[in-house]
Amino acid sequence: MRFEQYVLLQDIDLRSRTKALGLPQQIEVRRTWSGVGFRLGNVHLLSKLEEVDEILISPEMTRVPSALSWVKGVANIRGMLLPIMDLRDFIDGQAIQPGRKTRVILIKKGELVSGLMVDEVFGMRHFFEEERTKNVPESSDNLKKYLQGAFRKGNMHWGVFDMDNLAEDPGFLQVAALSG
């Protein structure tokens, strides 16, 4: 009887193994970072998703008298007056030539609501944490003070632009041209 039980158990084991589903695959979990990609001149940049409120096609603007050159004007966005700033002109003194790729990134930081004109927006970009680097892309010193590291994917080097740092910069908050 013991031999018959042993054969029966072997038969059950064999049938179970042939009918059983495979074990779940071990999936490697990799941490990711997501942001909004944009371009200022030839420099590719990213901002954290939570720092970008909206992306707009360049709206019609009304010029603000006695404002600095990088203050492009105010725009009526769904009943809200939104100041539009040329981010490249503010940082490097080179005004963006508006074109079909030009976009405005809407940021909100506390009471500050502002539209930042950029050369182009690439939408969401995702990176693995191991693609993070401390080496920022080749750029001006004025831009580097807003960069907090970078990501490198393939041959693309993306600087992480800190919108909160920009929103707290006294130079960015001072928009009136000084009369002399």
Side-chain angles (χ1 to χ4, degrees):
M1 194 78 136
R2 293 184 98 190
F3 180 71
E4 291 173 359
Q5 289 175 337
Y6 178 73
V7 171
L8 180 62
L9 287 174
Q10 278 187 320
D11 183 49
I12 292 171
D13 180 56
L14 181 62
R15 284 186 288 153
S16 296
R17 289 178 190 266
T18 58
K19 303 270 187 204
L21 296 174
L23 292 174
Q25 290 182 334
Q26 292 261 133
I27 299 174
E28 181 183 347
V29 177
R30 295 169 72 185
R31 295 188 58 191
T32 59
W33 186 94
S34 298
V36 175
F38 62 99
R39 182 175 59 81
L40 281 183
N42 294 324
V43 182
H44 287 78
L45 300 167
L46 301 161
S47 281
K48 295 177 194 170
L49 285 177
E50 57 270 15
E51 291 180 340
V52 175
D53 197 62
E54 191 174 351
I55 298 168
L56 308 168
I57 295 173
S58 291
E60 286 189 39
M61 293 171 264
T62 302
R63 187 86 178 115
V64 177
S66 300
L68 294 168
S69 66
W70 49 269
V71 179
K72 293 304 171 191
V74 293
N76 184 341
I77 307 297
R78 294 180 295 285
M80 177 178 67
L81 284 181
L82 179 70
I84 307 293
M85 317 299 191
D86 182 330
L87 186 57
R88 187 162 48 127
D89 195 5
F90 169 71
I91 292 173
D92 288 327
Q94 298 174 359
I96 292 173
Q97 298 305 314
R100 62 180 186 81
K101 292 183 179 182
T102 306
R103 295 291 182 266
V104 172
I105 297 174
L106 183 79
I107 62 168
K108 291 182 182 176
K109 173 76 171 161
E111 295 292 312
L112 175 76
V113 178
S114 184
L116 304 175
M117 185 182 295
V118 298
D119 290 294
E120 185 173 6
V121 171
F122 302 108
M124 285 183 60
R125 292 288 181 254
H126 308 282
F127 299 88
F128 293 114
E129 282 295 332
E130 56 265 23
E131 294 172 313
R132 185 183 295 268
T133 176
K134 291 181 181 178
N135 301 326
V136 296
E138 193 64 36
S139 59
S140 71
D141 288 339
N142 290 340
L143 179 57
K144 283 180 184 174
K145 72 180 186 180
Y146 298 105
L147 300 183
Q148 292 192 332
F151 287 92
R152 185 176 284 283
K153 185 177 279 192
N155 63 351
M156 291 295 296
H157 197 181
W158 299 80
V160 178
F161 189 91
D162 187 347
M163 293 289 187
D164 288 345
N165 189 12
L166 174 73
E168 293 168 0
D169 183 339
F172 181 72
L173 300 174
Q174 178 61 43
V175 298
L178 301 175
S179 56

